[in-house]
Tab-separated table of all heavy atoms in Angstrom:
chain	number	residue	atom	x	y	z
A	267	MET	N	148.761	236.374	194.051
A	267	MET	CA	147.643	237.075	194.695
A	267	MET	C	146.343	236.725	193.986
A	267	MET	O	145.952	237.347	193.017
A	267	MET	CB	147.882	238.592	194.612
A	267	MET	CG	148.969	239.042	195.537
A	267	MET	SD	148.385	240.224	196.728
A	267	MET	CE	148.101	241.662	195.723
A	268	THR	N	145.703	235.720	194.440
A	268	THR	CA	144.432	235.343	193.832
A	268	THR	C	143.303	235.555	194.827
A	268	THR	O	143.451	235.262	196.005
A	268	THR	CB	144.447	233.884	193.361
A	268	THR	OG1	144.966	233.071	194.397
A	268	THR	CG2	145.282	233.700	192.118
A	269	ASP	N	142.224	236.072	194.339
A	269	ASP	CA	141.047	236.299	195.164
A	269	ASP	C	140.021	235.209	194.882
A	269	ASP	O	139.435	235.176	193.812
A	269	ASP	CB	140.480	237.686	194.839
A	269	ASP	CG	139.271	238.006	195.738
A	269	ASP	OD1	138.813	237.117	196.464
A	269	ASP	OD2	138.812	239.146	195.679
A	270	PRO	N	139.826	234.298	195.803
A	270	PRO	CA	138.935	233.155	195.550
A	270	PRO	C	137.474	233.565	195.403
A	270	PRO	O	136.669	232.790	194.903
A	270	PRO	CB	139.131	232.262	196.769
A	270	PRO	CG	139.706	233.139	197.816
A	270	PRO	CD	140.428	234.248	197.124
A	271	SER	N	137.129	234.787	195.834
A	271	SER	CA	135.736	235.207	195.729
A	271	SER	C	135.404	235.692	194.324
A	271	SER	O	134.252	235.858	193.974
A	271	SER	CB	135.436	236.318	196.731
A	271	SER	OG	136.112	237.498	196.372
A	272	LYS	N	136.441	235.927	193.518
A	272	LYS	CA	136.198	236.388	192.157
A	272	LYS	C	136.004	235.201	191.225
A	272	LYS	O	136.655	234.175	191.380
A	272	LYS	CB	137.391	237.218	191.662
A	272	LYS	CG	137.361	238.645	192.195
A	272	LYS	CD	138.338	239.510	191.439
A	272	LYS	CE	138.358	240.919	192.025
A	272	LYS	NZ	139.696	241.478	192.045
A	273	PRO	N	135.126	235.346	190.244
A	273	PRO	CA	134.955	234.260	189.268
A	273	PRO	C	136.204	234.102	188.411
A	273	PRO	O	136.976	235.046	188.257
A	273	PRO	CB	133.763	234.712	188.421
A	273	PRO	CG	133.693	236.197	188.603
A	273	PRO	CD	134.267	236.491	189.971
A	274	MET	N	136.379	232.905	187.881
A	274	MET	CA	137.555	232.642	187.050
A	274	MET	C	137.332	233.242	185.667
A	274	MET	O	137.064	232.559	184.716
A	274	MET	CB	137.780	231.144	186.920
A	274	MET	CG	137.977	230.454	188.249
A	274	MET	SD	138.349	228.720	188.009
A	274	MET	CE	136.870	228.151	187.183
A	275	ILE	N	137.453	234.565	185.605
A	275	ILE	CA	137.090	235.257	184.382
A	275	ILE	C	138.045	234.916	183.240
A	275	ILE	O	137.640	234.889	182.087
A	275	ILE	CB	137.020	236.782	184.629
A	275	ILE	CG1	136.285	237.483	183.497
A	275	ILE	CG2	138.404	237.391	184.840
A	275	ILE	CD1	134.784	237.190	183.503
A	276	GLU	N	139.302	234.603	183.552
A	276	GLU	CA	140.247	234.274	182.475
A	276	GLU	C	139.813	233.004	181.751
A	276	GLU	O	140.001	232.861	180.560
A	276	GLU	CB	141.662	234.057	183.019
A	276	GLU	CG	142.223	235.240	183.781
A	276	GLU	CD	142.110	235.021	185.273
A	276	GLU	OE1	142.816	234.153	185.784
A	276	GLU	OE2	141.297	235.704	185.906
A	277	SER	N	139.228	232.074	182.495
A	277	SER	CA	138.853	230.803	181.897
A	277	SER	C	137.637	230.942	181.003
A	277	SER	O	137.316	230.044	180.246
A	277	SER	CB	138.599	229.754	182.972
A	277	SER	OG	137.453	230.090	183.707
A	278	ALA	N	136.950	232.088	181.056
A	278	ALA	CA	135.766	232.282	180.229
A	278	ALA	C	136.138	232.333	178.743
A	278	ALA	O	135.304	232.066	177.896
A	278	ALA	CB	135.030	233.554	180.630
A	279	GLY	N	137.395	232.673	178.459
A	279	GLY	CA	137.818	232.740	177.069
A	279	GLY	C	138.426	231.446	176.569
A	279	GLY	O	138.898	231.363	175.440
A	280	ILE	N	138.426	230.428	177.430
A	280	ILE	CA	139.046	229.155	177.093
A	280	ILE	C	137.968	228.098	176.917
A	280	ILE	O	137.094	227.945	177.752
A	280	ILE	CB	140.016	228.717	178.216
A	280	ILE	CG1	141.081	229.780	178.460
A	280	ILE	CG2	140.636	227.361	177.910
A	280	ILE	CD1	142.033	230.004	177.307
A	281	CYS	N	138.055	227.360	175.819
A	281	CYS	CA	137.116	226.272	175.590
A	281	CYS	C	137.340	225.184	176.643
A	281	CYS	O	138.455	224.702	176.806
A	281	CYS	CB	137.329	225.711	174.189
A	281	CYS	SG	136.433	224.179	173.895
A	282	PRO	N	136.282	224.782	177.363
A	282	PRO	CA	136.448	223.777	178.415
A	282	PRO	C	136.709	222.377	177.866
A	282	PRO	O	137.071	221.484	178.614
A	282	PRO	CB	135.122	223.832	179.184
A	282	PRO	CG	134.138	224.446	178.244
A	282	PRO	CD	134.910	225.316	177.297
A	283	LEU	N	136.537	222.191	176.566
A	283	LEU	CA	136.738	220.868	175.988
A	283	LEU	C	138.143	220.679	175.441
A	283	LEU	O	138.726	219.610	175.573
A	283	LEU	CB	135.706	220.616	174.875
A	283	LEU	CG	134.244	220.505	175.347
A	283	LEU	CD1	133.343	220.180	174.183
A	283	LEU	CD2	134.095	219.457	176.436
A	284	CYS	N	138.708	221.706	174.818
A	284	CYS	CA	140.029	221.537	174.215
A	284	CYS	C	141.086	222.439	174.848
A	284	CYS	O	142.272	222.254	174.607
A	284	CYS	CB	139.965	221.770	172.702
A	284	CYS	SG	139.649	223.482	172.252
A	285	GLY	N	140.658	223.405	175.658
A	285	GLY	CA	141.619	224.257	176.347
A	285	GLY	C	142.210	225.365	175.502
A	285	GLY	O	143.116	226.066	175.939
A	286	ARG	N	141.693	225.528	174.301
A	286	ARG	CA	142.158	226.630	173.461
A	286	ARG	C	141.167	227.791	173.517
A	286	ARG	O	140.074	227.653	174.063
A	286	ARG	CB	142.347	226.141	172.024
A	286	ARG	CG	143.585	225.280	171.879
A	286	ARG	CD	143.720	224.785	170.459
A	286	ARG	NE	142.651	223.832	170.152
A	286	ARG	CZ	142.729	222.933	169.176
A	286	ARG	NH1	143.788	222.865	168.425
A	286	ARG	NH2	141.736	222.108	168.946
A	287	GLY	N	141.551	228.909	172.913
A	287	GLY	CA	140.673	230.076	172.921
A	287	GLY	C	139.370	229.776	172.211
A	287	GLY	O	139.364	229.115	171.169
A	288	ASN	N	138.244	230.251	172.762
A	288	ASN	CA	136.954	229.966	172.151
A	288	ASN	C	136.443	231.134	171.304
A	288	ASN	O	135.404	231.021	170.671
A	288	ASN	CB	135.922	229.570	173.208
A	288	ASN	CG	135.758	230.633	174.283
A	288	ASN	OD1	136.124	231.780	174.081
A	288	ASN	ND2	135.239	230.251	175.425
A	289	GLY	N	137.168	232.255	171.314
A	289	GLY	CA	136.770	233.398	170.503
A	289	GLY	C	135.455	234.005	170.943
A	289	GLY	O	134.775	234.654	170.149
A	290	CYS	N	135.092	233.805	172.201
A	290	CYS	CA	133.801	234.283	172.683
A	290	CYS	C	133.840	235.790	172.931
A	290	CYS	O	134.750	236.293	173.592
A	290	CYS	CB	133.430	233.554	173.976
A	290	CYS	SG	131.823	234.043	174.604
A	291	ALA	N	132.845	236.489	172.391
A	291	ALA	CA	132.781	237.931	172.579
A	291	ALA	C	132.499	238.283	174.039
A	291	ALA	O	132.993	239.268	174.558
A	291	ALA	CB	131.706	238.525	171.683
A	292	GLY	N	131.702	237.454	174.692
A	292	GLY	CA	131.371	237.694	176.091
A	292	GLY	C	132.614	237.648	176.970
A	292	GLY	O	132.774	238.444	177.888
A	293	ALA	N	133.523	236.734	176.673
A	293	ALA	CA	134.752	236.601	177.447
A	293	ALA	C	135.666	237.790	177.225
A	293	ALA	O	136.489	238.130	178.064
A	293	ALA	CB	135.464	235.312	177.075
A	294	ALA	N	135.530	238.436	176.070
A	294	ALA	CA	136.366	239.589	175.754
A	294	ALA	C	135.760	240.885	176.283
A	294	ALA	O	136.254	241.958	176.003
A	294	ALA	CB	136.565	239.677	174.236
A	295	GLY	N	134.653	240.754	177.035
A	295	GLY	CA	134.035	241.916	177.631
A	295	GLY	C	133.061	242.618	176.714
A	295	GLY	O	132.590	243.701	177.022
A	296	ARG	N	132.767	242.001	175.571
A	296	ARG	CA	131.804	242.608	174.653
A	296	ARG	C	130.435	241.936	174.804
A	296	ARG	O	130.290	240.963	175.531
A	296	ARG	CB	132.308	242.475	173.213
A	296	ARG	CG	133.608	243.217	172.965
A	296	ARG	CD	133.895	243.373	171.492
A	296	ARG	NE	134.035	242.090	170.826
A	296	ARG	CZ	135.172	241.404	170.711
A	296	ARG	NH1	136.272	241.887	171.238
A	296	ARG	NH2	135.205	240.256	170.091
A	297	SER	N	129.477	242.449	174.074
A	297	SER	CA	128.133	241.883	174.146
A	297	SER	C	128.116	240.467	173.607
A	297	SER	O	128.676	240.181	172.550
A	297	SER	CB	127.167	242.750	173.342
A	297	SER	OG	125.941	242.062	173.187
A	298	HIS	N	127.465	239.576	174.343
A	298	HIS	CA	127.392	238.189	173.916
A	298	HIS	C	126.498	238.031	172.688
A	298	HIS	O	126.566	237.032	171.987
A	298	HIS	CB	126.864	237.326	175.061
A	298	HIS	CG	127.562	236.003	175.156
A	298	HIS	ND1	127.594	235.258	176.290
A	298	HIS	CD2	128.262	235.297	174.243
A	298	HIS	CE1	128.274	234.149	176.064
A	298	HIS	NE2	128.692	234.147	174.832
A	299	GLU	N	125.664	239.035	172.439
A	299	GLU	CA	124.768	238.940	171.286
A	299	GLU	C	125.555	238.949	169.976
A	299	GLU	O	125.090	238.426	168.970
A	299	GLU	CB	123.772	240.112	171.295
A	299	GLU	CG	122.648	239.905	172.284
A	299	GLU	CD	121.997	241.226	172.677
A	299	GLU	OE1	121.808	242.074	171.807
A	299	GLU	OE2	121.704	241.395	173.870
A	300	GLY	N	126.740	239.559	170.000
A	300	GLY	CA	127.549	239.606	168.788
A	300	GLY	C	128.480	238.414	168.668
A	300	GLY	O	129.241	238.321	167.715
A	301	CYS	N	128.428	237.515	169.630
A	301	CYS	CA	129.329	236.362	169.632
A	301	CYS	C	128.887	235.341	168.584
A	301	CYS	O	127.695	235.163	168.347
A	301	CYS	CB	129.327	235.728	171.017
A	301	CYS	SG	130.480	234.374	171.190
A	302	TRP	N	129.848	234.660	167.999
A	302	TRP	CA	129.518	233.624	167.015
A	302	TRP	C	128.622	232.558	167.634
A	302	TRP	O	127.766	231.982	166.966
A	302	TRP	CB	130.797	232.993	166.459
A	302	TRP	CG	131.559	232.214	167.507
A	302	TRP	CD1	132.547	232.676	168.318
A	302	TRP	CD2	131.359	230.846	167.862
A	302	TRP	NE1	132.956	231.685	169.172
A	302	TRP	CE2	132.258	230.548	168.906
A	302	TRP	CE3	130.511	229.842	167.408
A	302	TRP	CZ2	132.315	229.286	169.500
A	302	TRP	CZ3	130.575	228.587	168.010
A	302	TRP	CH2	131.475	228.321	169.035
A	303	CYS	N	128.787	232.312	168.927
A	303	CYS	CA	128.050	231.227	169.571
A	303	CYS	C	126.568	231.555	169.712
A	303	CYS	O	125.739	230.664	169.854
A	303	CYS	CB	128.663	230.892	170.931
A	303	CYS	SG	128.435	232.153	172.184
A	304	ALA	N	126.235	232.857	169.641
A	304	ALA	CA	124.830	233.248	169.776
A	304	ALA	C	124.013	232.795	168.572
A	304	ALA	O	122.806	232.621	168.660
A	304	ALA	CB	124.721	234.762	169.957
A	305	GLY	N	124.682	232.590	167.432
A	305	GLY	CA	123.967	232.176	166.241
A	305	GLY	C	124.087	230.688	165.970
A	305	GLY	O	123.653	230.209	164.925
A	306	GLU	N	124.688	229.953	166.918
A	306	GLU	CA	124.895	228.520	166.730
A	306	GLU	C	123.934	227.726	167.601
A	306	GLU	O	123.469	228.194	168.634
A	306	GLU	CB	126.325	228.134	167.110
A	306	GLU	CG	127.379	228.726	166.191
A	306	GLU	CD	127.469	227.977	164.871
A	306	GLU	OE1	126.943	226.849	164.785
A	306	GLU	OE2	128.069	228.524	163.929
A	307	VAL	N	123.663	226.506	167.177
A	307	VAL	CA	122.863	225.596	167.990
A	307	VAL	C	123.820	224.611	168.663
A	307	VAL	O	124.581	223.920	167.992
A	307	VAL	CB	121.841	224.839	167.127
A	307	VAL	CG1	121.081	223.823	167.973
A	307	VAL	CG2	120.872	225.817	166.480
A	308	PHE	N	123.779	224.582	169.983
A	308	PHE	CA	124.618	223.646	170.734
A	308	PHE	C	123.759	222.467	171.180
A	308	PHE	O	122.818	222.659	171.950
A	308	PHE	CB	125.228	224.339	171.954
A	308	PHE	CG	126.294	225.338	171.603
A	308	PHE	CD1	125.952	226.625	171.204
A	308	PHE	CD2	127.629	224.986	171.664
A	308	PHE	CE1	126.934	227.551	170.874
A	308	PHE	CE2	128.617	225.903	171.336
A	308	PHE	CZ	128.265	227.184	170.935
A	309	PRO	N	124.065	221.262	170.706
A	309	PRO	CA	123.295	220.098	171.160
A	309	PRO	C	123.461	219.893	172.665
A	309	PRO	O	124.538	220.129	173.216
A	309	PRO	CB	123.899	218.924	170.388
A	309	PRO	CG	125.013	219.460	169.572
A	309	PRO	CD	125.166	220.924	169.824
A	310	GLN	N	122.401	219.482	173.301
A	310	GLN	CA	122.428	219.270	174.746
A	310	GLN	C	123.539	218.297	175.144
A	310	GLN	O	124.177	218.446	176.181
A	310	GLN	CB	121.069	218.746	175.218
A	310	GLN	CG	120.932	218.598	176.725
A	310	GLN	CD	121.173	219.913	177.473
A	310	GLN	OE1	120.714	220.957	177.078
A	310	GLN	NE2	121.915	219.835	178.561
A	311	GLU	N	123.784	217.308	174.282
A	311	GLU	CA	124.767	216.262	174.616
A	311	GLU	C	126.170	216.827	174.790
A	311	GLU	O	126.989	216.273	175.522
A	311	GLU	CB	124.794	215.183	173.534
A	311	GLU	CG	123.525	214.363	173.459
A	311	GLU	CD	122.417	215.102	172.728
A	311	GLU	OE1	122.707	215.845	171.776
A	311	GLU	OE2	121.256	214.959	173.124
A	312	ILE	N	126.455	217.953	174.089
A	312	ILE	CA	127.823	218.475	174.163
A	312	ILE	C	128.098	219.027	175.565
A	312	ILE	O	129.226	218.971	176.055
A	312	ILE	CB	128.070	219.532	173.055
A	312	ILE	CG1	129.572	219.694	172.786
A	312	ILE	CG2	127.472	220.882	173.416
A	312	ILE	CD1	129.893	220.492	171.536
A	313	PHE	N	127.068	219.516	176.232
A	313	PHE	CA	127.260	220.072	177.572
A	313	PHE	C	127.535	218.975	178.598
A	313	PHE	O	128.076	219.241	179.665
A	313	PHE	CB	126.037	220.888	177.988
A	313	PHE	CG	125.872	222.138	177.169
A	313	PHE	CD1	124.845	222.254	176.250
A	313	PHE	CD2	126.774	223.194	177.291
A	313	PHE	CE1	124.696	223.392	175.480
A	313	PHE	CE2	126.643	224.338	176.518
A	313	PHE	CZ	125.598	224.442	175.611
A	314	GLU	N	127.157	217.743	178.249
A	314	GLU	CA	127.439	216.638	179.158
A	314	GLU	C	128.925	216.324	179.202
A	314	GLU	O	129.407	215.629	180.084
A	314	GLU	CB	126.638	215.404	178.721
A	314	GLU	CG	125.155	215.598	179.012
A	314	GLU	CD	124.290	214.550	178.328
A	314	GLU	OE1	124.822	213.560	177.822
A	314	GLU	OE2	123.062	214.751	178.301
A	315	ARG	N	129.676	216.850	178.226
A	315	ARG	CA	131.125	216.655	178.211
A	315	ARG	C	131.863	217.798	178.885
A	315	ARG	O	133.075	217.748	179.052
A	315	ARG	CB	131.614	216.555	176.770
A	315	ARG	CG	130.986	215.404	176.006
A	315	ARG	CD	131.710	215.220	174.707
A	315	ARG	NE	131.050	214.189	173.911
A	315	ARG	CZ	131.538	213.755	172.753
A	315	ARG	NH1	132.643	214.270	172.275
A	315	ARG	NH2	130.917	212.820	172.092
A	316	VAL	N	131.130	218.844	179.224
A	316	VAL	CA	131.749	220.017	179.838
A	316	VAL	C	131.766	219.852	181.350
A	316	VAL	O	130.746	219.513	181.939
A	316	VAL	CB	130.964	221.293	179.448
A	316	VAL	CG1	131.556	222.526	180.126
A	316	VAL	CG2	130.941	221.477	177.940
A	317	PRO	N	132.920	220.063	181.979
A	317	PRO	CA	132.963	220.009	183.450
A	317	PRO	C	131.954	220.984	184.048
A	317	PRO	O	131.795	222.103	183.557
A	317	PRO	CB	134.404	220.440	183.787
A	317	PRO	CG	135.189	220.165	182.544
A	317	PRO	CD	134.238	220.333	181.399
A	318	GLU	N	131.291	220.548	185.099
A	318	GLU	CA	130.161	221.289	185.653
A	318	GLU	C	130.498	222.741	185.982
A	318	GLU	O	129.702	223.639	185.776
A	318	GLU	CB	129.705	220.579	186.927
A	318	GLU	CG	128.196	220.643	187.131
A	318	GLU	CD	127.784	219.825	188.334
A	318	GLU	OE1	128.055	218.617	188.373
A	318	GLU	OE2	127.209	220.419	189.248
A	319	GLU	N	131.718	222.969	186.479
A	319	GLU	CA	132.070	224.327	186.907
A	319	GLU	C	132.214	225.297	185.741
A	319	GLU	O	132.277	226.497	185.937
A	319	GLU	CB	133.351	224.314	187.755
A	319	GLU	CG	134.587	223.823	187.029
A	319	GLU	CD	134.862	222.351	187.333
A	319	GLU	OE1	133.888	221.574	187.444
A	319	GLU	OE2	136.038	221.982	187.440
A	320	PHE	N	132.271	224.758	184.515
A	320	PHE	CA	132.413	225.637	183.351
A	320	PHE	C	131.097	225.900	182.648
A	320	PHE	O	131.019	226.764	181.777
A	320	PHE	CB	133.403	225.031	182.351
A	320	PHE	CG	134.820	225.049	182.838
A	320	PHE	CD1	135.455	223.872	183.195
A	320	PHE	CD2	135.519	226.237	182.950
A	320	PHE	CE1	136.756	223.868	183.646
A	320	PHE	CE2	136.823	226.249	183.411
A	320	PHE	CZ	137.444	225.061	183.758
A	321	ILE	N	130.082	225.134	182.992
A	321	ILE	CA	128.803	225.293	182.307
A	321	ILE	C	128.219	226.663	182.605
A	321	ILE	O	128.112	227.082	183.746
A	321	ILE	CB	127.826	224.158	182.711
A	321	ILE	CG1	128.338	222.834	182.131
A	321	ILE	CG2	126.416	224.457	182.216
A	321	ILE	CD1	127.457	221.650	182.402
A	322	GLY	N	127.854	227.365	181.544
A	322	GLY	CA	127.288	228.695	181.697
A	322	GLY	C	128.331	229.770	181.909
A	322	GLY	O	128.011	230.938	182.028
A	323	LYS	N	129.626	229.363	181.962
A	323	LYS	CA	130.689	230.346	182.194
A	323	LYS	C	131.583	230.476	180.977
A	323	LYS	O	131.893	231.582	180.545
A	323	LYS	CB	131.523	229.942	183.411
A	323	LYS	CG	130.746	229.957	184.700
A	323	LYS	CD	131.698	229.955	185.886
A	323	LYS	CE	130.943	230.008	187.202
A	323	LYS	NZ	130.551	228.680	187.666
A	324	ALA	N	132.009	229.336	180.446
A	324	ALA	CA	132.926	229.365	179.316
A	324	ALA	C	132.261	228.737	178.100
A	324	ALA	O	131.608	227.704	178.202
A	324	ALA	CB	134.207	228.603	179.657
A	325	CYS	N	132.423	229.394	176.964
A	325	CYS	CA	131.831	228.872	175.739
A	325	CYS	C	132.678	227.730	175.186
A	325	CYS	O	133.896	227.716	175.324
A	325	CYS	CB	131.757	229.979	174.688
A	325	CYS	SG	130.430	231.138	174.976
A	326	ILE	N	132.016	226.810	174.538
A	326	ILE	CA	132.699	225.788	173.756
A	326	ILE	C	133.150	226.452	172.457
A	326	ILE	O	132.444	227.300	171.909
A	326	ILE	CB	131.720	224.632	173.483
A	326	ILE	CG1	131.425	223.912	174.798
A	326	ILE	CG2	132.283	223.667	172.439
A	326	ILE	CD1	130.138	223.136	174.793
A	327	CYS	N	134.331	226.092	171.959
A	327	CYS	CA	134.826	226.738	170.744
A	327	CYS	C	134.168	226.128	169.509
A	327	CYS	O	133.576	225.044	169.558
A	327	CYS	CB	136.352	226.646	170.660
A	327	CYS	SG	136.972	225.049	170.124
A	328	LYS	N	134.292	226.872	168.403
A	328	LYS	CA	133.613	226.448	167.189
A	328	LYS	C	134.188	225.126	166.669
A	328	LYS	O	133.468	224.313	166.118
A	328	LYS	CB	133.756	227.541	166.124
A	328	LYS	CG	132.727	227.406	165.015
A	328	LYS	CD	132.668	228.678	164.192
A	328	LYS	CE	131.416	228.749	163.349
A	328	LYS	NZ	131.106	227.486	162.648
A	329	GLU	N	135.492	224.936	166.852
A	329	GLU	CA	136.113	223.691	166.392
A	329	GLU	C	135.522	222.483	167.098
A	329	GLU	O	135.241	221.456	166.480
A	329	GLU	CB	137.622	223.742	166.635
A	329	GLU	CG	138.363	224.365	165.475
A	329	GLU	CD	139.843	224.477	165.778
A	329	GLU	OE1	140.450	223.465	166.171
A	329	GLU	OE2	140.371	225.587	165.635
A	330	CYS	N	135.329	222.595	168.396
A	330	CYS	CA	134.756	221.480	169.147
A	330	CYS	C	133.295	221.272	168.760
A	330	CYS	O	132.840	220.125	168.652
A	330	CYS	CB	134.871	221.744	170.645
A	330	CYS	SG	136.542	221.526	171.267
A	331	LEU	N	132.580	222.368	168.540
A	331	LEU	CA	131.184	222.251	168.131
A	331	LEU	C	131.088	221.567	166.768
A	331	LEU	O	130.286	220.646	166.584
A	331	LEU	CB	130.544	223.634	168.077
A	331	LEU	CG	129.083	223.670	167.595
A	331	LEU	CD1	128.171	222.935	168.565
A	331	LEU	CD2	128.604	225.104	167.426
A	332	ASP	N	131.938	221.992	165.829
A	332	ASP	CA	131.927	221.392	164.496
A	332	ASP	C	132.311	219.917	164.560
A	332	ASP	O	131.704	219.078	163.900
A	332	ASP	CB	132.890	222.141	163.576
A	332	ASP	CG	132.331	223.493	163.153
A	332	ASP	OD1	131.120	223.708	163.329
A	332	ASP	OD2	133.105	224.329	162.659
A	333	ALA	N	133.307	219.595	165.347
A	333	ALA	CA	133.757	218.209	165.466
A	333	ALA	C	132.655	217.346	166.074
A	333	ALA	O	132.428	216.214	165.655
A	333	ALA	CB	135.014	218.145	166.327
A	334	PHE	N	131.963	217.903	167.049
A	334	PHE	CA	130.879	217.171	167.698
A	334	PHE	C	129.754	216.879	166.707
A	334	PHE	O	129.226	215.773	166.641
A	334	PHE	CB	130.357	218.003	168.870
A	334	PHE	CG	129.414	217.241	169.779
A	334	PHE	CD1	129.917	216.477	170.819
A	334	PHE	CD2	128.048	217.290	169.588
A	334	PHE	CE1	129.063	215.770	171.653
A	334	PHE	CE2	127.188	216.590	170.413
A	334	PHE	CZ	127.692	215.832	171.453
A	335	LYS	N	129.434	217.891	165.894
A	335	LYS	CA	128.371	217.713	164.909
A	335	LYS	C	128.788	216.729	163.816
A	335	LYS	O	127.990	215.933	163.338
A	335	LYS	CB	128.021	219.066	164.280
A	335	LYS	CG	127.202	219.954	165.210
A	335	LYS	CD	126.881	221.261	164.511
A	335	LYS	CE	125.963	222.102	165.373
A	335	LYS	NZ	125.756	223.444	164.782
A	336	ARG	N	130.065	216.809	163.426
A	336	ARG	CA	130.585	215.911	162.391
A	336	ARG	C	130.505	214.459	162.837
A	336	ARG	O	130.203	213.562	162.059
A	336	ARG	CB	132.040	216.256	162.073
A	336	ARG	CG	132.213	217.021	160.789
A	336	ARG	CD	133.618	216.893	160.241
A	336	ARG	NE	134.649	217.105	161.258
A	336	ARG	CZ	135.101	218.309	161.614
A	336	ARG	NH1	134.614	219.386	161.059
A	336	ARG	NH2	136.041	218.430	162.516
A	337	ASN	N	130.786	214.249	164.101
A	337	ASN	CA	130.780	212.890	164.627
A	337	ASN	C	129.370	212.403	164.951
A	337	ASN	O	129.195	211.338	165.518
A	337	ASN	CB	131.656	212.803	165.883
A	337	ASN	CG	133.112	213.068	165.547
A	337	ASN	OD1	133.542	212.849	164.420
A	337	ASN	ND2	133.861	213.561	166.507
A	338	GLY	N	128.396	213.225	164.607
A	338	GLY	CA	127.014	212.826	164.803
A	338	GLY	C	126.556	212.910	166.240
A	338	GLY	O	125.546	212.326	166.609
A	339	GLY	N	127.290	213.664	167.066
A	339	GLY	CA	126.905	213.840	168.468
A	339	GLY	C	127.234	212.597	169.234
A	339	GLY	O	126.569	212.229	170.140
B	34	ZN	ZN1	137.317	223.554	171.874
B	35	ZN	ZN1	130.164	233.109	173.366
């Protein structure tokens, strides 16, 4: 029983790059201001790797962000 008119809220807690949990407070129904991602800088280039339907919906996880920064973007 899936309702196509509802947003894919379950996927909001999944990192769109690695498919693991992103630990996002917003996905857990809490304030996004307390989320770890609110205090991080996400390079624009990392969003180019995110499938369009996930942009603005699901957070990238810290592991992917760290790996991206380590590799110099
Ligand atoms: Zn990830
Ligand atoms: Zn978040």
Side-chain angles (χ1 to χ4, degrees):
M267 287 240 289
T268 47
D269 183 352
S271 69
K272 280 194 183 142
M274 301 184 299
I275 196 71
E276 302 101 69
S277 68
I280 303 294
C281 170
L283 293 183
C284 69
R286 286 178 292 202
N288 57 19
C290 182
R296 297 195 299 272
S297 168
H298 219 158
E299 282 158 41
C301 184
W302 66 269
C303 70
E306 294 283 344
V307 176
F308 289 82
Q310 185 58 43
E311 293 79 35
I312 201 168
F313 292 109
E314 289 167 12
R315 300 191 185 185
V316 178
E318 215 175 302
E319 62 262 38
F320 290 110
I321 291 182
K323 295 197 178 86
C325 283
I326 291 158
C327 78
K328 199 165 196 315
E329 272 177 52
C330 285
L331 177 64
D332 286 345
F334 191 87
K335 285 181 175 174
R336 257 202 313 276
N337 295 334

